[in-house]
């Protein structure tokens, strides 16, 4: 049999040389949908943290997180989130 590389067909039977297929359009739509949802979640998170903890706490946590992830230590984001949760439980709980 002929390989898929020579025929230009995907496993679903669509050709690759006629522009975007319906599957590619669906994946593109999902990518933009995820970006939009993550943007809304980020804006909502910053608004709630500003209202709840205040501007100083929010800026300090963001700066410390950035330094831990991108600075000398290059900590994994999961550890930075865990440290931020511990900080919030100890210093920001009522």
């Amino acid at each position: 049999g002929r390989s898929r590389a020579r025929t230009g067909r995907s496993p679903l039977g669509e050709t690759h040389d006629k522009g975007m297929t319906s599957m590619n359009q669906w994946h593109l739509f999902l990518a933009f949908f995820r970006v939009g949802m993550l943007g809304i979640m980020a804006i909502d998170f910053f608004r709630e943290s500003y209202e709840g903890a205040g501007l100083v706490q929010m800026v300090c946590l963001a700066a410390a997180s950035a330094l831990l992830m991108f600075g000398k230590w290059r900590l994994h984001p999961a550890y930075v989130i865990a440290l931020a949760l511990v900080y919030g439980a100890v210093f920001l709980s009522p």
Side-chain angles (χ1 to χ4, degrees):
R2 298 164 86 183
S3 71
R4 281 184 288 192
R6 282 188 269 158
T7 62
R9 291 196 170 271
S10 73
L12 299 175
E14 297 135 343
T15 59
H16 294 290
D17 55 350
K18 293 185 180 180
M20 292 192 70
T21 62
S22 61
M23 187 62 83
N24 288 341
Q25 290 172 347
W26 178 247
H27 284 270
L28 187 63
F29 167 75
L30 287 179
F32 280 113
F33 181 75
R34 288 184 196 122
V35 167
M37 292 301 294
L38 285 172
I40 291 169
M41 287 172 53
I43 291 169
D44 192 44
F45 168 76
F46 283 115
R47 184 184 49 79
E48 286 181 12
S49 65
Y50 173 73
E51 292 171 357
L55 182 64
V56 174
Q57 292 287 338
M58 184 183 74
V59 169
C60 288
L61 275 172
S65 297
L67 285 174
L68 288 173
M69 283 193 296
F70 305 120
K72 178 181 176 183
W73 298 285
R74 300 196 53 87
L75 231 55
H76 191 275
Y79 296 127
V80 174
I81 291 169
L83 288 172
L85 288 172
V86 169
Y87 175 84
V90 171
F91 294 108
L92 298 178
S93 61

